[in-house]
Amino acid sequence: MLLATILQSNAAEIAAEAVPVQEELSFSLIEMAFKGGWLMIPLFLLSIVTIYLFAQKWWAIKKASKIDENFMKDIRDCIHEGKIKAALALCEKTDTPISRLIEKGIERIGRPLSDIQTAVENMGNVEVARLEKGLPMLATIAGGAPMIGFLGTVMGMVQAFYNMAAAGNNIDITLLSGGIYTAMVTTVAGLIVGIMAYFGYNFLTSQVSDLVFKMQNNTIEFMDLLHEPVK
């Protein structure tokens, strides 16, 4: 009985020693990026462009949205008092898309209201186009970056199966697993860049829509102002 117990204990120890100790695989993001190959370069550049465009447009829209709550009241007072130059100076001082719309309308005072409204609407189209500049690039990156990542995946898989075919009967599982690992890195990178651009595009689009709504409200208020009788 004692002998059997000792033999079982020795067998367990031998079996434990026979099992290889698996080393934990640890890698940094930089090492993973290098594994993706040359397609990681355009993806890296697209990520920089995405961050730059988002920061630039976000700051421009935030700056354009700031306007004094008393702006339209001051414009109304100036127009009712006949101080057209003072109203224009106030618009130039404010320097926002809304103030530029009002400034264009004030410059047309004295002409038919239809001409004033057309001038303001045309200026509004110019301002909206300026606000939306760069957003199509974000939309393109949102759709294109994942496709570049998938391209890298396909190329990596092709390379992996080519290596297996070239190995002949000496097929090693690492030939396939290494190729798949390299291929999936580009997919992850492409999806990360695409998600960044996608959410950034939708956020900025919503901000532009809010600003356009404010511009329309102020345009309507300005046109109503021109219909008001001078006190």
Side-chain angles (χ1 to χ4, degrees), residues 126-186:
V126 172
E127 292 296 334
V128 171
R130 183 181 301 173
L131 291 171
E132 292 179 344
K133 184 179 180 181
L135 294 184
M137 177 63 73
L138 278 180
T140 301
I141 294 175
M147 296 185 69
I148 295 176
F150 293 147
L151 174 62
T153 299
V154 174
M155 293 174 61
M157 294 295 292
V158 170
Q159 184 65 40
F161 284 110
Y162 175 80
N163 292 338
M164 291 183 65
N169 294 328
N170 299 322
I171 296 178
D172 187 356
I173 190 62
T174 57
L175 293 175
L176 182 60
S177 60
I180 294 177
Y181 166 75
T182 301
M184 298 306 292
V185 168
T186 58

Side-chain angles (χ1 to χ4, degrees), residues 17 40 43 46-47 55 97 100 106 111 117 124 128 142-143 150 154 159 163 172 207 216 220 224 228:
E17 292 177 357
M40 294 296 292
L43 289 175
L46 288 177
S47 67
R100 286 191 284 271
I106 294 174
R111 299 184 183 182
Q117 185 171 359
V128 171
F150 293 147
V154 174
Q159 184 65 40
N163 292 338
D172 187 356
Q207 295 297 305
Q216 291 174 342
I220 294 173
D224 290 341
E228 294 178 358

Side-chain angles (χ1 to χ4, degrees), residues 4 7 61 68 74 100 118 121 138 146-148 166 168 179 191 224:
L7 290 175
I61 294 171
D68 189 358
D74 295 338
R100 286 191 284 271
T118 300
E121 289 177 352
L138 278 180
M147 296 185 69
I148 295 176
L191 288 174
D224 290 341

